[in-house]
Amino acid sequence: MRSLRRRTGEAFGLLLVFTIVGLSRVWPPKWKLRRIAASAEVRAEREAAAEGLLARVREIEAGVPWLRPLDVVIRDECVDVRGHHISLFGAGPSKKSMTCRMSAFIVFSPDRDPEDAVAEIHRTFPPPDGLSPGGISESLHWDTDERRVAVEVAHDALWARLTRRHGEKSLGQLRQENGVLCVWALHGGTYFTVV
């Protein structure tokens, strides 16, 4: 009988541990994270992040006079990061619940071969591959037969907004009107985190 009580106690203890671990993986709930993402505190951080990205966009536009943007797209999203980066042998799951990040995309169509345009940008302007002085990660991409440039938000975002400077034309419409598209991507990193 004592053995049965001990096993029952152990089973109850394990069940309690698994319940607590399970609840910690879903706390705070998604509705609460969505509310945080729309809060005034996050809006203030969002505005500061947008200001930094747009300042860099203006710097690029001034530094590459032949680059005429067809659009400048700002992608802003808050995503649930619980359960991401789980590894059996490496570090455990992230302690973060949600991260908010913002990126800007300068969409243009060069009047020459995209590789030549990128080479000219590298010659006449600070190389965009890597971190700019403001801590913004930058890269250049263009349409290929295998891969079209894209700027969509994460499909599982808790909160997301895509804003366009020059209207609501999709990349498909811009591609149809202008040919090959190039995108100068500026990733500002995480501007808000919920632990």
Side-chain angles (χ1 to χ4, degrees):
M1 193 65 165
R2 184 174 283 165
S3 174
L4 181 60
R5 274 191 234 152
R6 187 181 59 154
R7 279 192 238 148
T8 303
E10 288 173 355
F12 179 74
L14 281 173
L15 181 61
L16 183 62
V17 167
F18 285 125
T19 301
I20 290 170
V21 168
L23 286 175
S24 70
R25 289 215 177 262
V26 295
W27 189 259
K30 288 188 183 240
W31 67 265
K32 185 162 179 105
L33 293 175
R34 285 185 187 96
R35 183 177 290 168
I36 292 169
S39 70
E41 179 184 7
V42 177
R43 266 196 312 272
E45 296 295 326
R46 182 172 289 131
E47 288 169 12
E51 222 172 273
L53 278 174
L54 291 173
R56 179 66 179 147
V57 167
R58 287 188 294 275
E59 186 180 320
I60 290 167
E61 290 173 326
V64 185
W66 59 264
L67 190 150
R68 298 282 181 257
L70 300 171
D71 206 350
V72 175
V73 181
I74 303 291
R75 180 180 70 199
D76 185 5
E77 59 192 0
C78 295
V79 294
D80 186 342
V81 292
R82 295 176 289 199
H84 292 216
H85 313 294
I86 295 175
S87 168
L88 292 175
F89 305 106
S94 170
K95 300 289 186 218
K96 298 174 186 171
S97 297
M98 177 180 74
T99 60
C100 297
R101 57 189 178 227
M102 188 178 295
S103 300
F105 303 91
I106 304 170
V107 181
F108 63 100
S109 183
D111 57 357
R112 63 200 89 173
D113 180 84
E115 290 186 51
D116 294 339
V118 169
E120 184 177 333
I121 288 170
H122 279 280
R123 277 193 310 275
T124 61
F125 203 71
D129 294 322
L131 288 178
S132 71
I136 297 170
S137 171
E138 299 184 32
S139 60
L140 282 165
H141 307 278
W142 60 89
D143 285 334
T144 64
D145 291 333
E146 299 83 36
R147 186 172 169 219
R148 298 287 187 202
V149 294
V151 297
E152 290 84 23
V153 295
H155 69 282
D156 59 347
L158 296 167
W159 185 96
R161 181 176 60 193
L162 212 61
T163 55
R164 300 172 182 279
R165 180 196 287 172
H166 297 297
E168 293 302 317
K169 287 187 180 178
S170 69
L171 290 184
Q173 291 168 309
L174 292 174
R175 189 176 290 114
Q176 199 170 36
E177 294 171 7
N178 300 282
V180 173
L181 296 181
C182 289
V183 171
W184 192 321
L186 300 91
H187 302 288
T190 299
Y191 65 83
F192 191 84
T193 301
V194 175
V195 180

